[in-house]
Amino acid sequence: MFGVRSASTLFDGHDLVRHCNSISAHSMNIFKTLNGMVWGNNASQDLVAIPSGDFYVIGLNMQRTCRYIDARATIKRTSMPFQYRLCVERIYEEGEDTLEGEDDDDDEHSVLIDKAIQFKVRMVSGSTAFTWKGMSKDSQGLTFEFVCAEETTAFTANNFEITVYQCMYERQYNHSHVDAEEDAIAEFQIKSLFNTPVPKGTRRSPRSPRQEEASFVPHNIPTPSLRPPPTVYHGVIDVPADLCLWDDSTALFYDHALNVRCQLVRERRDTYWLLIMDGKSNQHLAQKLEPRMSPVFSPENLTFIWNYSDDKQNVYSWLLRFKDDNVLRRFQTSYANCMSDVLNNQPASVSTNSSTSSSAIRSQRSSYGFEQSDDHDEEDDEEDEVEGDRGENSEDDGDDSDGSIISSFDQNDGTKNSELAVGYKDRSFVVRGSKVGVFGYGKSDGLKFHTTIKNLRNKAGNEIKPSQVVLHEEDTSMVMLDPRNKHQAYKMDLEYGKIVEEWNLHGTSGVCRLIGDGKYAHTTQSKTMLGLAEDAIFRIDSRLPGGMIVENEKKQYSKGNKFLCGATSSNGSLAMASSKDIMLFNKIGGIATVSIPTLGSPVIGIDVAGSGRWVLATCKEYIMLFDVLNSKNNALGFDRRFLADDKPVPIKLQLLPGHVAAMRAPVSFTPARFNTGANEEEMQIVTSTGPYVITWNFRRVKLGHREYSMREYQQKVVADNFRYGQSRSIIVTLPDDVAAVSTGKMVQVSK
C-alpha cells in the first residue's frame, strides 16, 4: 500500500520459519561446496549479486518508503583484505541515465559488511527480503531493506545470505572462512526474529484470504474516541467489509473488526456520514464526510483507505477491505456521489443550472474515485520518464544550512521567519519581523548568509512587518505589503536597504496580493505589476502621479467572488482563484476567458507553468493540477473558451492516508510551486505540510503516477521554493532557520 509492492508487504511468521529452517546444516554443506563459484575468481570485484529487487528505507518512526523502484544488490571486495561491502545500485530503464541533472551520488547505497549492521532475513509477500542497519553518519538510526524480485530463486537468495555471513566472519577474525566450522559461520545469523512463535493472523495483508476468526493484534494500537452518530438519516448504501486500523509504529494495517456493516447515510441535504457497525448494530466508527479524509480506493486490493481526525486533531488511518470488486465499485460510486453533494452544498442530481455544475461534478467524481486515474501501472508505460530524484532521508552533507548561518540573522527579539522570496541572481530573501535576511549559495549549493536589512520603516517612521514581498526590477528592489495598511505598497531598494517609495493604491477594497506582470517579470526592468483585491484585479504603475492604479486596466467584480490568489505565465496570462473557481485571463480589465470549477475547497495558492499550459492550485488538504490545453482546437484556456463539458478535470495530488496518520497532524499544505527559470522546463513540484517538505516528479505525474518524496525537519516549514534555474535545489524556510536541500536527499514514497 505504501511502496511498490507494499500493498501486501506484511510479515508472515510461518514463511520466515520455513525460510530460516532452510539455512540448516544441510544448506551450509551445499553452499560450502560451492565456494569456488563465489570466492574462486580473485580477479572479480563482485562476489555474488541479486540482479533485481526493490530497495526501501525504514525511518525512526518505522515509516517504510521506497528509495529505488528497481535495484541490484551486490557483495563486493574492497581494496583491503577480508573487508567487503554490500552495495545496492539503482537500475535505470533505457534512456533514464542520460536525463539532464541526474545526481550520481544518489544512485548507490553501500555499507561495510560487519556484524554491527545486524543483517537479517525475512519474507515479504513470498519474496525474500534482507534488512540491515545504516552505519554512516548520514544513515544512523535508519534501516535499509532489499526485497528480492519475485523471479529470484531460493538458491540465489540463500547463496547471497550465506555469503554475507562468510564476509562477516572474515572481517571479525581477519582470515579466510574456507576452513571455518559451520557453527562459526552460523553465529552471525540473527535468529531473534523467529525464536518467538508468531500467532496466526498477525499483520495480515488486506489481500490475504479471509480467516475464520479475528486476527491477533500484537499490541495495543491507539484508537479514536467514538463520535455520536446522527439519530435521523436516510440510507444511501449498506455493504459488508472488514475494518482495519493503521499502526504507525509498525507501518502496517491490523484487523480491527471483521464482517462489519459499512453504511453511507444522508443526515441533511448536503451532510453525509460514514457509519460502521457490527452485526448487532454496535458502533465502530461514525464520521462525517469531508475533504480532509484523503480517500484512496485500490481496486487491485479491494480496499478503501481514509483518514479520521478526532476532536483533538489526532489523525488515524482506517482501511475497509471488501469481499469482491462489485461491492467495492458500488461503495466507490456512492461515495463519489455523496462527496459531490457535500462539496457543492446541494445534491449533484439537481445542480444543473450553471455552466460549471456538470464539469464540477465530473471533476469531483473523478477525484473521489469514480475514475481510477491513480491506478496507472508503471509497467505499462514504455515511454515512462524518470528523473530519479530518490535518496535517503539523512541529515545531509552540506546541502543544508547550519546554525551559524541563521544565527547572524536571529536577533532574539521573539520574531519568526515568515516570508521567502527567491531571486534569479543567486540571492534569496527571508522576512523576519521588520528585518529581511539576504542569503547566497556556497559550496555544494548550501546557503551562505550575507547580511540583514534591519528596521523596515515607512516615511512616517512606523515599523513595517511585511505580509508579502515581491522582487522587482531585475531583483534590485522589493515591493511589500503591510497588513495594517491595505491601501499602500512599499518599494525597498535592496542595494540601499531602505524603503524609497510608497505607492498609493486607494480605489479598491484593499490590496491582498501583489503579482508580477509575468512569471519572470522580476528579471526585467518592468515598472508595472498586478494587484489583487478580494473583488478586483488591476495593474499598478509606479510612474503614475498620485494614485498608481491604471484605471483602464482595472476590473471590479461583485463581492461574491472573493479572490484569494493569482499567478501569471511567461507572457503575462493570469490565473486567479476565487472562492468558487479558477478564472483564466489573457488581459487585465476584461472578463475571464474561462472559469474552471474546483473540487470544493478554497484555493490558498496558485502557480502557472511558463508556457501557460499547466495550472497548479493548492488547497489545504490536496493539490489540483489542470492541463488547460484544449485538445480540440490546440489552444490554451487563457486564449479560447472551453465548452462546458470540455473543461479540464484536475489531477489530484494528496498524501497517502497512512503517512498522514504517521504525521499525527492534519495536512495543511503551503502553496505548491513548479521549479522556475526562463527557458527551463517544469520538472518538479514542491510544497510542505507541518515539518515535511514534499515534492512530486512533474513528468511522472503527467504520465499518471502519484508517488512523491519527503524530507522531515525539526520545525514546521514556513515557506519553500526552488532555487531559480534549479529543479533539484529547494530553499526551505523554518521559523528559526533557513536551509537548502537537494531533491536527491529526499525519500521517495510510492503508491
Side-chain angles (χ1 to χ4, degrees), residues 287 289-296 307-309 313 315 339 343 367-368 599-605 617-624 651-657 660 663 665-672 687-690 694 696 708:
Q287 181 174 7
L289 266 59
E290 55 184 349
R292 65 176 177 171
M293 291 172 69
S294 301
V296 174
N307 286 330
Y308 175 95
S309 299
Q313 299 304 304
V315 181
M339 281 303 303
L343 296 173
S367 171
Y368 288 101
L599 300 178
S601 298
V603 175
I604 62 172
T618 307
C619 301
K620 182 180 178 182
E621 294 94 4
Y622 55 86
I623 297 166
M624 298 175 291
I651 297 171
K652 185 179 180 184
L653 304 178
Q654 61 183 2
L655 303 185
L656 293 169
V660 178
M663 292 175 182
V667 173
S668 183
F669 283 130
T670 57
T687 184
S688 63
T689 178
I694 300 151
W696 280 268
Y708 49 88

Side-chain angles (χ1 to χ4, degrees), residues 135-238:
M135 299 303 294
S136 67
K137 179 181 177 181
D138 290 342
S139 61
Q140 286 183 356
L142 300 179
T143 299
F144 299 92
E145 181 178 61
F146 183 87
V147 181
C148 301
E150 293 177 356
E151 61 269 19
T152 304
T153 64
F155 177 91
T156 301
N158 290 346
N159 194 17
F160 189 92
E161 180 188 356
I162 290 179
T163 303
V164 170
Y165 302 145
Q166 292 168 342
C167 292
M168 290 181 178
Y169 176 91
E170 293 199 1
R171 172 170 167 79
Q172 178 156 325
Y173 295 107
N174 205 34
H175 62 76
S176 173
H177 72 280
V178 173
D179 297 323
E181 296 292 333
E182 293 171 4
D183 290 344
I185 301 296
E187 73 177 19
F188 295 96
Q189 182 181 1
I190 297 178
K191 302 180 181 180
S192 59
L193 283 177
F194 57 89
N195 283 342
T196 302
V198 181
K200 182 179 180 180
T202 299
R203 306 182 186 180
R204 180 158 68 92
S205 163
R207 298 177 63 185
S208 61
R210 184 180 303 272
Q211 299 174 357
E212 296 298 328
E213 298 178 0
S215 294
F216 173 83
V217 179
H219 58 280
N220 293 325
I221 304 175
T223 56
S225 57
L226 297 179
R227 285 198 180 104
T231 55
V232 179
Y233 55 81
H234 299 280
V236 176
I237 192 171
D238 187 337

Side-chain angles (χ1 to χ4, degrees), residues 110 188 274 299 304 316 334 340 393 542 561 576 611 616 711 739:
S110 178
F188 295 96
L274 171 62
F304 167 56
Y316 302 84
S334 296
S340 177
N393 187 7
S542 60
N561 280 293
M576 195 166 60
S611 65
L616 191 65
R711 174 72 182 258

Side-chain angles (χ1 to χ4, degrees), residues 425-581:
K425 291 182 177 180
D426 282 343
R427 290 288 185 271
S428 291
F429 304 86
V430 177
V431 175
R432 187 182 182 90
S434 60
K435 304 184 294 290
V436 176
V438 183
F439 298 84
Y441 305 98
K443 295 180 180 180
S444 301
D445 293 335
L447 284 177
K448 182 179 179 181
F449 174 76
H450 279 287
T451 189
T452 300
I453 300 172
K454 303 178 181 179
N455 299 321
L456 298 179
R457 296 184 180 276
N458 60 18
K459 290 181 179 179
N462 298 322
E463 184 181 59
I464 294 176
K465 295 183 178 180
S467 59
Q468 188 203 1
V469 293
V470 177
L471 293 171
H472 193 46
E473 297 174 325
E474 294 184 339
D475 287 1
T476 61
S477 62
M478 176 183 287
V479 182
M480 58 190 68
L481 296 177
D482 183 351
R484 292 168 294 187
N485 187 349
K486 293 186 177 181
H487 299 283
Q488 203 90 5
Y490 303 90
K491 175 183 171 182
M492 178 174 67
D493 187 315
L494 288 172
E495 296 178 0
Y496 185 51
K498 299 289 184 181
I499 291 175
V500 294
E501 294 180 12
E502 297 186 3
W503 296 355
N504 178 9
L505 302 177
H506 288 275
T508 71
S509 60
V511 182
C512 59
R513 301 296 295 175
L514 297 172
I515 307 168
D517 264 341
K519 190 174 183 74
Y520 303 113
H522 64 100
T523 67
T524 72
Q525 274 295 326
S526 173
K527 303 296 181 182
T528 64
M529 62 173 48
L530 305 180
L532 185 65
E534 287 190 354
D535 58 355
I537 318 169
F538 47 89
R539 193 177 302 279
I540 301 169
D541 190 337
S542 60
R543 297 166 296 187
L544 295 177
M548 296 180 180
I549 295 178
V550 182
E551 291 298 330
N552 63 351
E553 291 190 87
K554 173 184 173 183
K555 180 69 175 179
Q556 194 82 29
Y557 296 84
S558 65
K559 292 185 178 181
N561 280 293
K562 194 175 182 181
F563 298 127
L564 304 172
C565 51
T568 50
S569 66
S570 295
N571 68 2
S573 297
L574 172 66
M576 195 166 60
S578 73
S579 56
K580 300 177 180 178
D581 46 24

